[in-house]
């Protein structure tokens, strides 16, 4: 057995390597907010430029536009000091509990996330703390400010949506890790995506469908709502838990077996799944049927489609 | 007791060498055996075999690193036991490790000659020497000591998934290195 030859060869490696590994003090990776903010600041310009990424990083790859308004796409200037970037039409972000959120009060953006009306005081659930608006976006602070963070009352069990009250204005913070686009290693398994949306069992799913068009300009077709099908979907998704890759690694894997041109061509054949939770929120997953992969902009991760997932897609998502 | 003193006991054919070895390195040896075999009784048997092998080899051998010397013996003893019982499918620790090591095996070529394990060890040593210390320690802990990925993840403060990715990258790096050197297994 070739792997056993490898094992035997490793058995005889230098003794100083064995000693070194025995005594090595691994540095624990810290996930301090400072580091997160640092990485976020570094790619903030990218964020403003690529605000169209909003719903799904894959959407941007496809060249889809977020059509809701002109003020969220393509703006490269920054807001004037003291000016609320959301009110002024520029994108801003919230970093909270180790994840990043897009802050918006645009109805079309909210609708795409399953929120039917503009955010008001009625949407404020549990008060979570005060925020400060810095050049990097909204940030937690221990000081009393006129900016407050609340749970989203209409879907309070999840962490995909928060409510921000900034003075008189109410906005939603919508889960999206696109801000970490510069860090290929910063991605999460599929269970994290579901957890953000409060899905810990199949019963918390309301429907799975395919988007015909774009997130904000299309309709969901072939909506699957049957309990048995949703249970099968949940189980199939969870089989992808370990096949989770970052952008660069996914790309490298693909380029091992195909040319760049072929890869780009197969990426173009993207389909878009819309998942709606029992609480009415929506999120999207890109599906590359020709490659056999899924992508979530929320977790910035690529998931290798397992046999179970493929069987589900074949059964329910045929065009 | 210092390692040199224990080794002197072996040289003097003093049987307390075995007791002292067990006292100082018993847990270390058992840990390695358990990572491979996962059945405690078998692992303990390996550890006992290790003391006897050490007794037979010292003298004439005078190990530079007594700990690594014992580690190698227990590791080899464990894999022998694994191979002997492989058909019975009793052990799974090594199964997983071996299947991962497939990722490091270069594809067969046309002209290259298959190399001996000893030569392969030299290539692996060269590759390991070029790694960052943390990557080297991770590789050795996983594939020499047989530590579980989830335990390594915990030690580094990252998720199991991320550690799996990291190990995958290391295995691919080794494969690329061996392929570049024209190694065929």
């Amino acid at each position: 057995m070739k792997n056993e030859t490898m094992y035997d060869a490793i058995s005889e490696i230098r003794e100083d390597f064995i000693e070194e590994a025995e005594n090595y003090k691994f540095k624990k990776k810290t996930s301090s907010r400072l580091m997160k903010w640092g990485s976020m600041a570094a790619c903030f310009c990218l964020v403003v430029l690529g605000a169209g990424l909003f719903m799904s990083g894959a959407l941007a790859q496809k060249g889809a536009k977020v059509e809701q308004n002109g003020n969220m796409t393509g703006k490269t200037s920054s807001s004037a000091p003291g000016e609320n970037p959301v009110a002024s039409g520029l994108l801003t972000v919230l970093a909270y509990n180790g994840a990043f959120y897009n802050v918006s009060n645009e109805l079309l953006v909210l609708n795409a996330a399953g929120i039917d009306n503009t955010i008001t005081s009625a949407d404020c659930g549990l008060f979570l703390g005060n925020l400060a608006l810095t050049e990097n976006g909204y940030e937690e602070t221990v000081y009393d400010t006129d900016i407050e963070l609340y749970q989203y009352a209409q879907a309070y069990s999840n962490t995909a949506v928060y409510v921000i009250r900034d003075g008189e204005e109410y906005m939603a913070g919508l889960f999206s890790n696109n801000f970490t686009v510069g860090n290929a290693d910063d991605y999460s398994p599929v269970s994290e995506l579901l957890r953000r949306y409060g899905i810990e069992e199949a019963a918390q799913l309301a429907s799975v469908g395919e988007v015909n068009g774009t997130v904000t300009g299309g309709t969901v077709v072939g909506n699957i709502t049957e309990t048995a099908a949703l249970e099968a979907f949940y189980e199939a998704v969870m089989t992808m838990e370990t096949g989770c890759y970052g952008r660069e690694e996914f790309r490298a894997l693909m380029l091992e077996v195909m040319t760049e041109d072929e890869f780009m061509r197969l990426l173009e054949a993207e389909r878009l799944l819309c998942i709606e939770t029992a609480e009415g929120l929506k999120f999207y997953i890109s599906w590359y049927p020709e490659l056999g992969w899924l992508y979530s902009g929320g977790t910035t991760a690529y998931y290798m489609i397992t046999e179970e997932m493929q069987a589900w897609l074949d059964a329910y998502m045929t065009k | 007791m210092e390692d040199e003193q224990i080794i002197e006991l072996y040289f003097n054919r003093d049987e307390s060498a075995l007791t002292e070895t067990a006292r100082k390195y018993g847990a270390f040896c058992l840990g390695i055996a358990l990572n491979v075999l996962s059945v405690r009784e078998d692992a303990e048997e390996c550890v006992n075999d290790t003391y006897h092998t050490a007794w037979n080899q010292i003298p004439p051998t005078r190990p530079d690193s007594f700990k690594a010397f014992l580690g190698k013996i227990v590791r080899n003893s464990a894999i022998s036991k694994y191979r002997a019982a492989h058909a019975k499918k009793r052990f799974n620790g090594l199964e997983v490790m071996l299947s991962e090591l497939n990722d490091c095996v270069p594809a067969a070529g046309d002209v290259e000659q298959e190399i001996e394990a000893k030569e392969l060890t030299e290539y692996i040593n060269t590759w390991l020497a070029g790694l960052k210390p943390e990557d080297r320690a991770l590789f050795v802990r996983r594939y020499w000591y047989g530590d579980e990925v989830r335990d390594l993840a915990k030690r580094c403060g990252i998720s199991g998934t991320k550690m799996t990715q990291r190990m995958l990258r290391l295995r691919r790096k080794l494969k690329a290195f061996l392929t570049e050197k024209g190694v065929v297994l």
Side-chain angles (χ1 to χ4, degrees), chain A residues 2-4 7-14 18-22 29 185 187 244 249 253, chain B residues 65 67 72 75 79 83 94 98 121 125 134 136 141 144-145 154 156 162 165 169 172 185:
Chain A
K2 290 174 177 181
N3 52 6
E4 292 195 14
Y7 185 87
D8 288 341
I10 291 171
S11 298
E12 300 302 322
I13 58 170
R14 277 166 42 183
I18 299 168
E19 289 255 17
E20 176 192 51
E22 172 68 9
K29 191 180 172 188
D185 280 335
Y187 54 89
C244 164
E249 195 156 33
L253 279 172
Chain B
S65 164
K67 192 175 187 180
K72 281 188 177 181
R75 195 170 182 277
I79 192 169
R83 281 171 180 156
L94 190 60
L98 286 176
T121 300
N125 277 335
E134 182 161 302
R136 183 164 57 235
R141 292 245 43 121
W144 199 92
Y145 287 93
K154 208 178 283 174
C156 292
K162 284 192 177 171
Q165 308 291 348
R169 275 194 284 271
R172 291 223 178 98
L185 296 184

Side-chain angles (χ1 to χ4, degrees), chain B residues 5-136:
Chain B
Q5 293 172 288
I6 301 176
I7 291 167
E8 273 316 305
L9 293 175
Y10 279 96
F11 269 86
N12 297 333
R13 308 318 287 161
D14 182 340
E15 287 185 10
S16 65
L18 301 177
T19 329
E20 292 300 332
T21 304
R23 185 174 296 146
K24 189 165 181 184
Y25 291 118
F28 167 77
C29 290
L30 185 63
I32 293 174
L34 275 173
N35 282 343
V36 173
L37 297 172
S38 63
V39 177
R40 193 175 178 91
E41 291 74 20
D42 293 316
E44 282 171 352
E45 204 179 308
C46 271
V47 175
N48 283 330
D49 290 348
T50 300
Y51 301 146
H52 290 290
T53 307
W55 180 257
N56 290 333
Q57 290 190 7
I58 312 173
T61 306
R62 188 179 281 276
D64 291 332
S65 164
F66 188 47
K67 192 175 187 180
F69 170 80
L70 291 171
K72 281 188 177 181
I73 297 173
V74 73
R75 195 170 182 277
N76 289 338
S77 167
I79 192 169
S80 299
K81 194 170 275 295
Y82 162 82
R83 281 171 180 156
H86 184 59
K88 296 179 192 165
K89 295 274 176 201
R90 288 166 64 204
F91 311 125
N92 56 30
L94 190 60
E95 289 280 357
V96 179
M97 234 194 298
L98 286 176
S99 81
E100 286 179 18
L101 285 174
N102 272 328
D103 291 339
C104 315
V105 177
D110 299 329
V111 285
E112 302 92 337
Q113 292 296 308
E114 288 191 16
I115 64 164
E116 302 286 327
K118 201 171 176 183
E119 201 183 339
L120 180 58
T121 300
E122 286 316 307
Y123 280 118
I124 295 171
N125 277 335
T126 308
W127 176 73
L128 282 171
L131 290 182
K132 287 182 202 157
E134 182 161 302
D135 280 342
R136 183 164 57 235

